Amino acid sequence: MPYNDVSTNITFSNVRDNAATIRGCSSAMANMFEEKKRKQEAINAAMSKIKHVIAVASGKGGVGKSTVAANVALSLAKKGYRVGLADADIYGPSVPTLFNIENEQIMVTEVDGKQLMVPFEKYGIKMMSVGFFVDKDKPMLWRGPMAANTLTQMLTETHWGELDFMVLDMPPGTGDIQLSLVQQFSVSG
């Protein structure tokens, strides 16, 4: 869908076509568009087996998002739904602590020729957390696109299988990370 700015009437196709007139720029633009297309195809493939995505978010940290996300996931699993819980809170990943799986090691499996992480399963919930990838005693310096790309990779490269619900425990705030995740993954509520 083209982006149209009323004041300048710019579309992505205009940018791509005009970039082709600058030496070296056309291949860079083509690479950028191809990378964006590949990324969205990976997201679509990963999300095709997930019926509903619920994002638990707040503009402020420390208000209980992880507890709410965990309880929503537990309640849905108790009702017999197939549930995934993705801890995308890069500032304070709590799912490993809440489910007492802090010291677990991530396993990898091959699915259709791709290496995918195997989510941990407890109480009928498949879960993956950014907390499994970082040292909890060291501060994280991830910002904007780097953090959003890491979270997208975690969500698309985990072998979730078929799910009725995916509960996303979002990081606090309303910035690039939150907007990217909500735009890329079709959030139901």
Side-chain angles (χ1 to χ4, degrees), residues 56-68 89 169-170 172-173:
V56 179
S58 171
K60 182 184 181 319
V63 297
K65 288 183 302 303
S66 297
T67 303
V68 169
D89 187 347
D169 180 13
M170 301 285 284

Side-chain angles (χ1 to χ4, degrees), residues 6 10 31 45 48 70 77 91 108 112 120 123-124 148 157 170 176:
V6 176
I10 296 175
N31 290 341
S48 68
Y91 304 114
V108 176
D112 298 328
F120 297 99
Y123 308 114
E157 294 182 16
M170 301 285 284
D176 290 342

Side-chain angles (χ1 to χ4, degrees), residues 44-51 82 112 159 161-164:
N44 293 345
M47 300 308 290
S48 68
K49 296 180 180 180
I50 300 171
K51 293 181 183 174
R82 297 169 296 179
D112 298 328
H159 183 53
E162 302 249 347
L163 296 177
D164 296 310

